[in-house]
Amino acid sequence: NSKVIQTPRYLVKGQGQKAKMRCIPEKGHPVVFWYQQNKNNEFKFLINFQNQEVLQQIDMTEKRFSAECPSNSPCSLEIQSSEAGDSALYLCASSLRGTNERLFFGHGTKLSVL
Amino acid sequence: GDSVTQTEGQVTVSESKSLIINCTYSATSIGYPNLFWYVRYPGEGLQLLLKVITAGQKGSSRGFEATYNKEATSFHLQKASVQESDSAVYYCALTPTGGYKVVFGSGTRLLVSP
């Protein structure tokens, strides 16, 4: 069973509010991914890290999304000013050696922006 | 870009009957991608069901099988006899050669009726 811990499980925010979610990857996993899964079950890759370094990320031109994976602290994903379209399930996953290995997923944080 | 297509949003099968869930992919990078099936059981996080990294090979787990068909660019999931406990959402996915992210299909919900 996966031991990727995501908090909170549910997050409700008003439009314009900041939304922050956290992820503790499986112990010993240096690679961490964030995905957004919308109501149509479609996955959107957001960003991934190896240790504290960003490997790849979408073009966050809106600058509303930011993420980090500091050493000895949970990884986090933050939306500076939430919009209704941000309502989705945010999934964190970790792996031992990257995408050729299995990903271990958390339960996700379900964000609702009212 | 790379993509994964699952044509059925939901499949209903009677217990003990056979199952096939379709998956086709498109990979634009040089070389053959790695292919995966992930599953989300009710109330649980997404977890790996099986993976195949070599074209022409078959992967199997928990009675499910999938064959990497590079000519047809398909990776259909099959099971000879389903059980109620197989009711879940199944996601086909790929990682491109040398890529940093996993590309998911939109999922197929399997309902097994008693």
Side-chain angles (χ1 to χ4, degrees):
Chain A
N1 288 334
S2 174
K3 295 181 176 60
V4 176
I5 308 298
Q6 286 190 251
T7 55
R9 290 290 296 270
Y10 302 93
L11 193 55
V12 180
K13 294 292 178 181
Q15 294 200 47
Q17 289 187 319
K18 187 183 297 187
K20 187 168 186 174
M21 55 203 84
R22 292 176 175 81
C23 170
I24 300 175
E26 186 119 5
K27 190 174 182 180
H29 283 190
V31 184
V32 174
F33 299 78
W34 284 101
Y35 281 88
Q36 178 195 65
Q37 188 178 20
N38 65 22
K39 62 181 180 179
N40 295 321
N41 269 342
E42 295 161 337
F43 286 76
K44 179 180 180 181
F45 168 81
L46 296 177
I47 192 169
N48 60 359
F49 294 85
Q50 178 145 356
N51 297 312
Q52 294 79 52
E53 302 283 328
V54 175
L55 290 176
Q56 195 175 27
Q57 62 180 331
I58 62 166
D59 183 13
M60 296 183 180
T61 54
E62 293 183 61
K63 306 298 184 190
R64 297 188 300 110
F65 286 73
S66 62
E68 61 176 4
C69 267
S71 61
N72 301 317
S73 293
C75 297
S76 64
L77 176 68
E78 188 171 77
I79 306 172
Q80 290 298 320
S81 178
S82 301
E83 299 178 355
D86 298 331
S87 296
L89 180 68
Y90 290 84
L91 292 165
C92 176
S94 70
S95 76
L96 195 54
R97 278 184 286 271
T99 56
N100 291 334
E101 301 282 325
R102 64 184 290 184
L103 299 187
F104 291 79
F105 283 85
H107 281 80
T109 293
K110 186 170 182 181
L111 173 65
S112 298
V113 182
L114 306 177
Chain B
D2 303 308
S3 65
V4 176
T5 301
Q6 294 178 244
T7 52
E8 305 109 338
Q10 181 166 303
V11 172
T12 302
V13 180
S14 299
E15 197 167 24
S16 79
K17 297 297 184 184
S18 64
L19 165 74
I20 182 165
I21 296 178
N22 294 310
C23 170
T24 56
Y25 67 88
S26 172
T28 55
S29 54
I30 295 172
Y32 297 111
N34 301 319
L35 300 177
F36 304 80
W37 278 100
Y38 281 84
V39 58
R40 179 184 280 142
Y41 296 103
E44 297 186 20
L46 201 58
Q47 57 186 276
L48 180 70
L49 179 61
L50 57 87
K51 75 171 188 179
V52 180
I53 62 173
T54 304
Q57 297 291 313
K58 179 191 290 186
S60 61
S61 173
R62 307 179 206 176
F64 289 88
E65 293 182 339
T67 300
Y68 190 152
N69 186 329
K70 64 181 175 65
E71 288 80 18
T73 61
S74 68
F75 192 55
H76 305 319
L77 184 67
Q78 301 183 71
K79 189 172 186 183
S81 175
V82 298
Q83 303 169 336
E84 258 192 282
S85 58
D86 294 326
S87 295
V89 183
Y90 294 81
Y91 295 91
C92 186
L94 70 80
T95 58
T97 305
Y100 290 113
K101 65 181 183 181
V102 182
V103 178
F104 288 89
S106 55
T108 298
R109 180 178 298 277
L110 170 64
L111 295 175
V112 179
S113 55

